[in-house]
């Protein structure tokens, strides 16, 4: 019962991120006319093959309730799958500790990845749900490896896996490719370790579904445009400007980044070695290998395909988190009485911190939007725009510099005058007609000094 209460808490923590975060960048386009007519015109046939992801972002930008539900559901699904994988590896390990460590890891994703996933609805819609299927594949391999006892066959479950496999291909292209790669690896190297009933129940419908989804995604006209070099946004091999290569160079250009990466890599290798040395658990080794191989395969296309963004690393981060959590849980098994309360407290503190951060970003966005619309009606020469305190965790420039925000809420002939957060926040008020007029008087006074 306690486990389910915590899953409700996780659901609320991550759900509030979706409900409270502002709409930034492309979110505003998806919320507007573009999103409204997307599936009712021929746009979706030549824009991209992310049909499910596109549907998600349209719904996310139209309903705070849907955003709450999808953010929360995706988070607890990832947490649950990591927990199941950990249980399959080490049945005596603490499932509670696995839950807490995974939720902490999802919240503490590096800021440059957080910006483009939890902090950007359009990024979240494609890159967070897409990690679920690779985790599901790893779970199936880990759970049924060398288990040849009879499993009861279910037509319904077979059909459900088929549908799940198809729709999981309509999110992010590099994950679609990875899912197909994993299927090939299974049939070439792993098939003999699984019973015929498990293959029939899971891996045959999974293979068929991934194949159908792959074809349906990549017959979209967008990818022919990319191959022919007619796409203004996405390119193949024409330039290294926005591929993975300059990102790697940038990460190793800074001594701070290099030191951090080397320390992280050393810790990961030591953790895997220590776990194997202590338990000689082949299932753990198998999960480590599958996760690390998937990390490499999922980012390889970006060596020649652009644009590459930190959001493309979310799957890599989650797979590395899987390796860390599953190895740590077994190693900390004798220290549960200390580790679980500490992790529990950390989840609540970190979760509250990020939910408040999302609330602050969201209320600034709503106030700034309402204030800009008010000034637009007045047809002023100057339009005062309220800035955020920072943009560390949202994928946008400050409101005064965000071209999409300016296109929707600021008149073309108006001059943009940014107002620093620390100048106006002291006078914060809820965005209604009377308060906006009062805020306007305050902002004009501030601007004079």
């Amino acid at each position: 019962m306690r486990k389910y209460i915590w899953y409700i808490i996780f659901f609320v923590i991550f759900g509030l991120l979706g409900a409270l975060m502002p709409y930034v960048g492309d979110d505003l386009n998806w919320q507007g006319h573009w999103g409204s007519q997307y599936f009712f015109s021929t746009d979706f046939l030549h824009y991209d093959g992310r049909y499910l992801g596109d549907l998600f972002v349209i719904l996310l930008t139209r309903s705070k309730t849907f955003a709450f539900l999808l953010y929360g559901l995706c988070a607890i699904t990832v947490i649950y799958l990591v927990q199941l994988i950990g249980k399959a590896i080490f049945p005596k390990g603490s499932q509670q500790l696995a839950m807490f460590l995974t939720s902490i890891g999802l919240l503490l994703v590096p800021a440059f990845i957080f910006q483009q996933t939890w902090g950007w609805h359009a990024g979240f819609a494609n890159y967070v749900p897409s990690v679920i299927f690779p985790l599901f594949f790893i779970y199936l391999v880990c759970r049924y490896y060398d288990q040849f006892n009879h499993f009861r066959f279910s037509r319904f479950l077979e059909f459900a896996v088929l549908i799940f496999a198809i729709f999981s291909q309509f999110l992010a292209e590099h994950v679609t490719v990875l899912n197909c790669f994993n299927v090939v690896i299974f049939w070439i190297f792993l098939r003999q370790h699984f019973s015929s009933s498990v293959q029939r129940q899971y891996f045959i419908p999974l293979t068929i579904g991934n194949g159908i989804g792959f074809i349906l995604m990549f017959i979209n006209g967008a990818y022919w445009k990319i191959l022919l070099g007619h796409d203004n946004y996405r390119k193949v091999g024409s330039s290294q400007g926005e591929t993975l290569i300059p990102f790697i160079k940038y990460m190793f250009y800074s001594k701070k980044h290099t030191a951090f990466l080397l320390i992280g890599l050393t810790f990961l290798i030591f953790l895997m070695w220590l776990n194997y040395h202590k338990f000689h658990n082949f299932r753990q080794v198998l999960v480590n290998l599958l996760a690390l191989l998937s990390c490499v395969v999922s980012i390889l296309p970006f060596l020649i395909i652009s644009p590459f963004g930190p959001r493309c690393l979310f799957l890599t981060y989650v797979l590395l988190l899987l390796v860390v959590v599953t190895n740590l849980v077994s190693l900390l098994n004798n220290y549960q009485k200390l580790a679980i309360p500490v992790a529990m407290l950390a989840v609540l503190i970190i979760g509250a911190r990020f939910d408040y951060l999302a609330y602050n970003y969201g209320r600034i966005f709503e106030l700034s939007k309402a204030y800009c619309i008010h000034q637009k009606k007045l047809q002023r020469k100057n339009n005062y725009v309220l800035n955020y305190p920072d943009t560390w965790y949202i994928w946008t420039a400050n409101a005064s510099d965000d071209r999409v925000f300016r296109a929707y809420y600021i008149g073309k002939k108006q001059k943009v005058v940014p107002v620093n957060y620390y100048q106006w926040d002291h006078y914060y008020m809820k965005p209604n007609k009377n308060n906006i007029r009062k805020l306007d008087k305050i902002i004009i006074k501030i601007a004079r000094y």
Side-chain angles (χ1 to χ4, degrees), residues 26 47 120 226 230-235 242 306-307 311:
D26 288 355
Y47 184 72
W120 180 30
I226 295 169
H230 297 159
D231 192 293
N232 294 326
Y233 178 59
R234 293 157 293 196
K235 306 289 182 183
E242 294 183 75
S306 64
R311 58 193 176 276

Side-chain angles (χ1 to χ4, degrees), residues 247-255 257-258 261-262:
F247 181 83
I248 294 174
K249 289 179 179 178
Y250 170 76
M251 293 302 291
F252 283 96
Y253 179 78
S254 166
K255 292 182 179 179
H257 290 159
T258 303
L261 289 171
L262 290 176

Side-chain angles (χ1 to χ4, degrees), residues 367-375 380 384 386 436 440 443:
L367 183 61
S368 186
K369 180 177 74 172
Y371 185 39
C372 285
I373 292 172
H374 171 75
Q375 295 177 88
R380 285 178 176 165
Y384 298 98
L386 310 179
I436 289 295
D440 187 38
I443 295 299

Side-chain angles (χ1 to χ4, degrees), residues 53-223:
D54 294 341
L55 176 62
F56 280 161
V57 71
I58 290 170
L59 296 174
L60 284 169
T61 54
R62 278 165 169 71
S63 171
K64 291 290 186 181
T65 301
F66 183 80
F68 177 84
L69 294 174
L70 188 63
Y71 269 63
L73 184 61
C74 286
I76 64 171
T77 302
V78 171
I79 294 168
Y80 182 65
L81 284 170
V82 173
Q83 177 195 325
L84 284 180
I85 294 168
K87 184 180 179 181
I89 295 170
F90 193 71
K92 295 180 180 179
S94 171
Q95 295 181 44
Q96 276 193 323
L97 185 57
M99 287 161 42
F100 294 135
L101 291 177
T102 306
S103 59
I104 291 170
L106 289 177
L107 288 168
L108 294 182
V109 60
F112 62 91
I113 300 177
F114 191 108
Q115 284 181 338
Q116 297 189 13
T117 49
W118 303 116
W120 180 30
H121 291 81
F124 171 91
N126 290 294
Y127 294 92
V128 176
S130 65
V131 309
I132 292 172
F133 196 86
L135 288 176
F136 177 67
F137 173 82
I138 292 174
Y139 165 69
L140 290 178
V141 171
C142 179
R143 168 67 178 84
Y144 294 108
Y145 188 87
D146 278 347
Q147 298 290 316
F148 291 100
N149 50 313
H150 178 71
F151 290 95
R152 187 175 179 180
F153 184 79
S154 166
R155 284 285 183 188
F156 174 78
L157 184 56
E158 180 186 25
F159 179 73
V161 172
L162 174 67
I163 298 301
F164 179 39
I166 292 173
F167 280 90
S168 293
Q169 297 293 72
F170 301 148
L171 293 163
E173 292 86 355
H174 66 294
V175 183
T176 298
V177 173
L178 171 66
N179 291 335
C180 291
F181 175 84
N182 284 339
V183 164
V184 172
I185 291 296
F186 171 82
W187 290 110
I188 294 177
F189 298 106
L190 299 173
R191 176 176 58 85
Q192 63 271 24
H193 295 280
F194 295 83
S195 67
S196 58
S197 59
V198 169
Q199 292 181 33
R200 185 182 174 193
Q201 182 80 86
Y202 294 108
F203 290 101
I204 291 177
L206 183 152
T207 302
I208 295 171
N210 280 171
I212 292 172
F214 179 90
I215 293 169
L216 291 176
M217 168 177 265
F218 287 106
I219 60 173
N220 188 285
Y223 304 106

Side-chain angles (χ1 to χ4, degrees), residues 376-434:
K376 194 174 182 180
K377 292 177 181 177
L378 298 177
Q379 296 184 336
R380 285 178 176 165
K381 182 179 179 181
N382 291 339
N383 190 307
Y384 298 98
V385 181
L386 310 179
N387 275 338
Y388 299 104
D390 59 69
T391 54
W392 293 338
Y393 294 99
I394 48 175
W395 183 234
T396 184
N398 245 315
S400 60
D401 298 318
D402 185 349
R403 60 178 181 80
V404 183
F405 182 89
R406 291 171 67 165
Y408 276 91
Y409 302 116
I410 301 174
K412 294 181 179 179
K413 296 181 179 179
Q414 290 177 298
K415 178 184 177 183
V416 174
V417 180
V419 183
N420 189 288
Y421 172 81
Y422 299 101
Q423 289 179 291
W424 67 264
D425 183 59
H426 178 70
Y427 306 99
Y428 171 71
M429 52 203 71
K430 291 184 178 180
N432 59 57
K433 290 182 179 179
N434 293 329

Side-chain angles (χ1 to χ4, degrees), residues 6 10 13-14 75 79 96-110 114 118 317 321 325 339-351 354:
W6 275 104
F10 298 147
I13 288 173
F14 287 95
I79 294 168
Q96 276 193 323
L97 185 57
M99 287 161 42
F100 294 135
L101 291 177
T102 306
S103 59
I104 291 170
L106 289 177
L107 288 168
L108 294 182
V109 60
F114 191 108
W118 303 116
Y317 176 83
L321 179 63
V325 169
I340 289 176
V342 171
M344 187 186 304
L345 183 61
V347 168
L348 295 174
I349 293 173
I350 297 169
F354 278 103

